[in-house]
């Protein structure tokens, strides 16, 4: 591994701090939206915000794109499982109303 490739992988502290502030802001948004009656968006908004937060964590803190392929496959399996469970929860809530 040469020096140029190593340097591209290093994320600076200001970037990580900005991402952390973004995560705090998204958390505040989730809490703020939880108290408002938004009809159908009550379930969709937190899942979308959580997806954005998960992307930031995976991309900046876990740095999954630089890891071996097996970790990507494990992440995709977990993500697929969460997607199926979320879909089933949506269906359950939709039929109860």
């Amino acid at each position: 591994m040469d020096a140029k490739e190593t340097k591209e992988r290093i994320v600076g502290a200001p970037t990580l701090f900005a991402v952390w502030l973004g995560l705090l802001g998204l958390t505040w948004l989730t809490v703020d939206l939880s108290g408002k009656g938004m009809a159908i968006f009550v379930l969709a908004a937190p899942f979308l915000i959580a997806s954005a937060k998960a992307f930031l964590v995976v991309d900046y803190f876990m740095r999954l794109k630089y890891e071996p392929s097996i970790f990507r496959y494990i992440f995709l399996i977990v993500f697929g499982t969460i997607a199926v469970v979320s879909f089933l929860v949506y269906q359950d809530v939709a039929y109860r109303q």
Side-chain angles (χ1 to χ4, degrees), residues 11-79:
V11 178
T15 303
L16 292 176
F17 185 70
V19 171
W20 181 71
L21 287 177
L23 289 170
L24 286 178
L26 288 171
T27 301
W28 175 83
L29 182 63
T30 304
V31 172
D32 186 48
L33 290 176
S34 68
K36 297 181 166 97
M38 299 184 314
I40 191 69
F41 297 112
V42 165
L43 286 177
F47 274 108
L48 291 174
I49 294 170
S51 298
K53 288 169 56 178
F55 170 76
L56 289 173
V57 169
V58 167
D59 195 37
Y60 286 97
F61 292 108
M62 291 176 61
R63 300 168 33 127
L64 193 60
K65 61 184 169 186
Y66 299 118
E67 297 297 327
S69 297
I70 186 69
F71 294 119
R72 292 182 199 158
Y73 294 129
I74 291 171
F75 179 77
L76 288 175
I77 290 170
V78 170
F79 182 76

